[in-house]
Amino acid sequence: MEEKKELEKEELEKEELEQEEVPIQEEEEVPDETPAEPEAQAEEEEEQGSGPGEKKSFFKKREKKDKRDEQIAELTDKVKRQLAEFENFRNRTEKEKTQMYTVGAKDVIEKILPVVDNFERGIKSIPEEEKEGPVASGMEMIYKQLMTVLTDMGVTPIEAVGQEFDPNLHNAVMHVENEELGENIIAEEFQKGYKYKDTVLRFSMVTVAN
């Protein structure tokens, strides 16, 4: 009986020893779980937006934004250039139209000036006793109307007699000595000159004194 009790006691002690060794095996398995922590941390950082993937995507967005800015700047520059070219074209066209109108007007007026000259000669040739007659009055009215139209168009006669000779306005065809007039003063006008705005249509044919 005693031997049986000793055997039972030894078996109980073995079982207790085996139960005490279980926690030791669990402690040895703990280090196997530690390597997973950096990966979890990396995943958390990527989810929070602080990992290297976040920086890479940020630079990609920045590059795309810079390209868009360059495209916008390029298109803006093209639009400005086209507007400037159109403005230059419009100014050039207006200038050409004005020049064409001026050339056309000058051509017409130059053809009308001989008619004006003939009206003036005809009025001067009318005798004094007939100047109050219907023919002379009619010629005078037509002449005044014609001169009014020319004036409205910008045509003005060039002053000559009593003025100092100006080669830009007058054409000297004779030279006379006259003590009553100063030097280089116009004494007589043979043909009246005219200006269209600031352009000389016809120079005055004059006689210059002294």
Side-chain angles (χ1 to χ4, degrees):
M1 292 292 291
E2 292 178 2
E3 290 179 358
K4 189 182 277 190
K5 289 181 179 178
E6 287 179 0
L7 289 171
E8 290 178 354
K9 186 176 182 181
E10 287 177 359
E11 289 179 357
L12 289 171
E13 289 177 354
K14 285 181 180 181
E15 289 178 358
E16 289 176 357
L17 288 172
E18 289 176 357
Q19 290 177 358
E20 290 176 358
E21 289 177 357
V22 172
I24 295 172
Q25 291 177 356
E26 292 179 355
E27 290 178 358
E28 289 176 356
E29 292 176 356
V30 170
D32 295 336
E33 296 177 357
T34 54
E37 291 181 358
E39 295 179 358
Q41 185 177 359
E43 291 178 357
E44 290 178 359
E45 288 178 352
E46 289 180 359
E47 290 177 357
Q48 292 175 359
S50 60
E54 174 68 20
K55 293 181 180 178
K56 191 173 181 181
S57 63
F58 171 76
F59 285 117
K60 284 184 178 179
K61 291 180 181 178
R62 184 66 179 270
E63 289 175 359
K64 290 181 180 178
K65 187 175 181 182
D66 291 342
K67 288 182 179 179
R68 288 175 184 169
D69 292 340
E70 289 177 0
Q71 290 177 350
I72 291 171
E74 185 178 354
L75 291 173
T76 303
D77 183 64
K78 285 183 179 179
V79 171
K80 288 181 179 179
R81 287 177 182 272
Q82 289 178 351
L83 288 174
E85 290 177 0
F86 177 75
E87 186 67 22
N88 292 333
F89 171 76
R90 186 174 64 179
N91 293 335
R92 187 168 58 252
T93 304
E94 289 294 330
K95 187 176 180 180
E96 290 175 355
K97 285 170 62 178
T98 303
Q99 290 176 348
M100 290 175 62
Y101 176 81
T102 301
V103 171
K106 286 172 64 177
D107 185 52
V108 173
I109 294 167
E110 286 174 355
K111 292 178 180 179
I112 294 175
L113 290 181
V115 179
V116 176
D117 295 337
N118 289 330
F119 263 106
E120 291 177 347
R121 293 190 188 99
I123 291 172
K124 287 180 180 180
S125 65
I126 298 174
E128 287 293 332
E129 62 273 12
E130 296 181 6
K131 285 186 177 181
E132 299 296 330
V135 176
S137 298
M139 289 182 64
E140 188 73 28
M141 289 175 62
I142 294 171
Y143 173 73
K144 287 181 179 179
Q145 185 179 10
L146 182 60
M147 293 306 298
T148 300
V149 172
L150 292 175
T151 301
D152 292 340
M153 292 177 64
V155 179
T156 53
I158 296 173
E159 296 183 6
V161 177
Q163 302 294 319
E164 184 177 359
F165 176 76
D166 185 353
N168 296 317
L169 300 174
H170 310 120
N171 181 20
V173 295
M174 289 184 65
H175 181 80
V176 295
E177 296 293 334
N178 191 332
E179 296 180 356
E180 297 180 358
L181 298 175
E183 186 177 358
N184 214 26
I185 299 299
I186 296 172
E188 187 179 0
E189 182 182 56
F190 294 106
Q191 187 181 53
K192 187 179 292 185
Y194 290 92
K195 290 170 58 179
Y196 174 65
K197 296 181 179 179
D198 295 329
T199 305
V200 176
L201 287 173
R202 188 175 73 183
F203 292 89
S204 299
M205 296 176 63
V206 297
T207 298
V208 182
N210 305 320

